[in-house]
């Protein structure tokens, strides 16, 4: 019932064809599981963090440390390691079995996590980590002194899966039950980008249709009905106004024309047929791009969301009105004047 698309993750993986795309319950993180760490965790308690796990090196730029023996260097390294060990102990103290960090996790802390049987995931991309926190019901933490105030995320199962040649981490049975991942496959990045845009458009239309469930026939049917009514009004209207109304009627017919052109059909032929068909009473004819001719939209079950169609017509009309009213919007480049000195 919500129109929030945040819990739907779209993951693009080159390789295969678009037909190999699939919908998966839960959340998929595009990361590998580290060496020596558990590959499968049931009833996971997840700590999602954005913290530096590389402080086992002194990172004060411009600082110089002078020592008089190699033993002192060893002492500094030991102190750094101890500092990191304490930080890892604080994190383990939260009672977790999965730690996902936005930043890098260096070898030493990763080793400590592996020894404790905790799955540590480093460098999870920002959108990924924010969405993971959302769907598992946890908060993104950056300090670990007060375990009781940190909200952990939960899921029933974490496991490693393969998509194509890549290994990914799959979180299933997440706290936000309706969260899901759509994995898109395609031959190239361009195909995947186009598929993602199309999918996003479809999801937006669906989310709006949930709030307003009215639908109308598609395939250029609504535009032809509106065009016919506006045409009749133009004939009844005296004076110059009728020219503007007539132009509006022609503009409405641009949508079915574009539908036909995009499908590689003869738009001039189809629109004239469609116009004739719509002069019959209660016609439900529209452009059927599959058969390449006219089709009955009611029998074919081709529909569009009323809310989306309404928004399209209103915004296009307002844009056209604005351009016509304000003569300064479309201006020519100023004429260059020759130097008259």
């Amino acid at each position: 019932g919500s129109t929030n698309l945040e819990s739907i993750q779209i993951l693009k993986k080159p390789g295969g064809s678009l037909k190999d795309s699939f919908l998966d319950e839960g959340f998929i993180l595009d990361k590998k599981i580290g060496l020596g760490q558990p590959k499968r965790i049931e009833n996971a308690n997840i700590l999602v963090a954005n913290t530096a796990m590389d402080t086992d090196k002194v990172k004060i730029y411009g600082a110089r440390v002078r020592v008089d023996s190699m033993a002192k260097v060893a002492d500094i390294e030991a102190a750094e390691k101890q500092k990191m060990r304490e930080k890892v102990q604080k994190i383990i103290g939260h009672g977790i079995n999965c730690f996902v960090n936005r930043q890098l996790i260096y070898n030493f802390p990763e080793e400590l996590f592996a020894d404790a049987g905790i799955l540590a995931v480093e460098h999870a991309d920002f959108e990924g980590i924010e969405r993971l926190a959302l769907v598992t019901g946890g908060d993104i933490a950056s300090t670990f002194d007060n375990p009781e105030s940190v909200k952990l995320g939960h899921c029933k199962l974490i496991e490693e899966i393969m998509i194509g040649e890549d290994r990914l981490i799959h979180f299933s049975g997440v706290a936000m039950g309706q969260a899901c991942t759509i994995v898109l496959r395609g031959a190239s990045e361009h195909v995947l980008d186009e598929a993602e845009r199309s999918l996003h458009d479809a999801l937006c239309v669906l989310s709006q249709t949930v709030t307003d469930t009215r639908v109308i026939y598609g395939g250029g049917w609504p535009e032809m009905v509106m065009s016919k009514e506006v045409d009749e009004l133009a004939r009844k209207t005296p004076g110059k106004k009728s020219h503007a109304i007539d132009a509006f009627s022609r503009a409405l017919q641009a949508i079915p024309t574009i539908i036909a052109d995009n499908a590689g059909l003869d738009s001039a032929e189809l629109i004239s047929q469609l116009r004739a068909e719509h002069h019959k009473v209660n016609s439900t004819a529209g452009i059927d791009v599959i058969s390449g001719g006219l089709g009955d939209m009611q029998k074919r079950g081709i529909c569009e969301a009323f809310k989306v169609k309404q928004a399209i017509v209103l915004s296009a009309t307002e844009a056209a009105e604005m351009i016509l009213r304000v003569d300064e919007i479309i201006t020519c480049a100023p004429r260059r004047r020759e130097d008259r000195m």
Side-chain angles (χ1 to χ4, degrees):
S2 87
T3 55
N4 181 17
L5 299 180
E6 281 293 304
S7 55
I8 301 172
Q9 182 202 16
I10 298 174
L11 198 65
K12 297 184 289 185
K13 280 283 160 199
S17 68
L18 273 173
K19 287 181 181 174
D20 298 331
S21 303
F22 62 92
L23 173 69
D24 201 321
E25 176 271 325
F27 183 88
I28 296 175
L29 189 64
D30 194 358
K31 285 285 153 195
K32 294 184 179 75
I33 290 176
L35 293 170
Q37 296 183 349
K39 303 282 184 194
R40 179 186 168 94
I41 292 176
E42 292 181 12
N43 298 322
N45 293 324
I46 306 158
L47 176 61
V48 185
N50 183 10
T51 183
M53 297 298 287
D54 53 358
T55 45
D56 54 337
K57 292 280 170 284
V58 172
K59 288 206 318 189
I60 307 166
Y61 296 106
R64 294 171 72 184
V65 181
R66 281 193 179 159
V67 290
D68 50 19
S69 72
M70 284 306 291
K72 296 273 176 70
V73 176
D75 289 346
I76 291 170
E77 286 187 348
E80 287 170 341
K81 278 196 167 185
Q82 184 56 32
K83 189 180 166 193
M84 178 49 71
R85 189 178 278 112
E86 284 168 9
K87 186 171 185 177
V88 171
Q89 286 305 326
K90 281 182 187 173
I91 292 168
I92 295 170
H94 286 67
I96 58 166
N97 48 14
C98 177
F99 176 67
V100 183
N101 192 23
R102 162 83 180 88
Q103 298 178 44
L104 286 169
I105 300 175
Y106 274 38
N107 296 0
F108 179 62
E110 191 174 57
E111 186 187 314
L112 295 176
F113 283 124
D115 291 343
I118 292 174
L119 166 60
V121 183
E122 65 172 3
H123 223 249
D125 60 304
F126 206 75
E127 192 184 332
I129 203 168
E130 287 197 316
R131 197 176 261 131
L132 179 64
L134 174 79
V135 299
T136 56
D139 288 337
I140 298 175
S142 53
T143 55
F144 312 102
D145 291 324
N146 304 310
E148 66 284 349
S149 64
V150 175
K151 194 176 172 191
L152 297 178
H154 300 279
C155 78
K156 287 179 184 165
L157 178 67
I158 302 175
E159 60 185 342
E160 192 173 56
I161 58 167
M162 291 276 291
I163 298 177
E165 296 171 2
D166 297 334
R167 293 176 186 275
L168 303 100
I169 305 169
H170 184 223
F171 297 78
S172 52
V174 291
M176 186 186 270
Q178 68 269 38
C180 61
T181 300
I182 297 167
V183 179
L184 290 177
R185 307 299 309 277
S188 69
E189 290 288 346
H190 297 296
V191 172
L192 287 172
D193 290 343
E194 194 55 49
E196 185 186 26
R197 277 193 289 273
S198 304
L199 186 62
H200 185 262
D201 288 352
L203 288 171
C204 290
V205 171
L206 277 173
S207 70
Q208 292 307 309
T209 312
V210 168
T211 54
D212 186 347
T213 53
R214 288 179 290 174
V215 291
I216 49 176
Y217 298 126
W221 174 85
E223 284 80 14
M224 293 310 289
V225 173
M226 288 187 278
S227 176
K228 183 185 167 191
E229 295 292 328
V230 173
D231 227 6
E232 284 175 14
L233 179 67
R235 290 202 192 103
K236 293 175 192 169
T237 307
K240 288 182 180 177
K241 266 188 189 174
S242 65
H243 289 298
I245 299 169
D246 198 38
F248 194 93
S249 166
R250 286 198 307 278
L252 283 165
Q253 289 178 22
I255 299 280
T257 306
I258 291 164
I259 290 172
D261 285 340
N262 283 353
L265 305 171
D266 184 349
S267 57
E269 173 71 23
L270 280 174
I271 298 305
S272 56
Q273 286 179 20
L274 197 56
R275 201 184 299 119
E277 197 67 36
H278 272 267
H279 275 284
K280 297 174 187 173
V281 181
N282 293 336
S283 170
T284 55
I287 294 171
D288 180 2
V289 297
I290 306 297
S291 67
L294 299 188
D296 188 333
M297 297 292 106
Q298 190 174 12
K299 285 179 185 167
R300 295 286 159 93
I302 298 172
C303 294
E304 287 185 69
F306 168 76
K307 196 169 181 183
V308 174
K309 184 60 72 179
Q310 185 186 34
I312 289 167
V313 174
L314 286 174
S315 55
T317 309
E318 282 173 7
E321 276 181 12
M322 193 167 70
I323 289 170
L324 290 169
R325 278 185 182 153
V326 185
D327 57 354
E328 290 301 313
I329 281 186
I330 299 174
T331 56
C332 296
R335 183 165 54 88
R336 291 191 67 144
R337 297 190 176 187
E338 290 172 17
D339 199 356
R340 294 179 181 173
M341 290 297 287

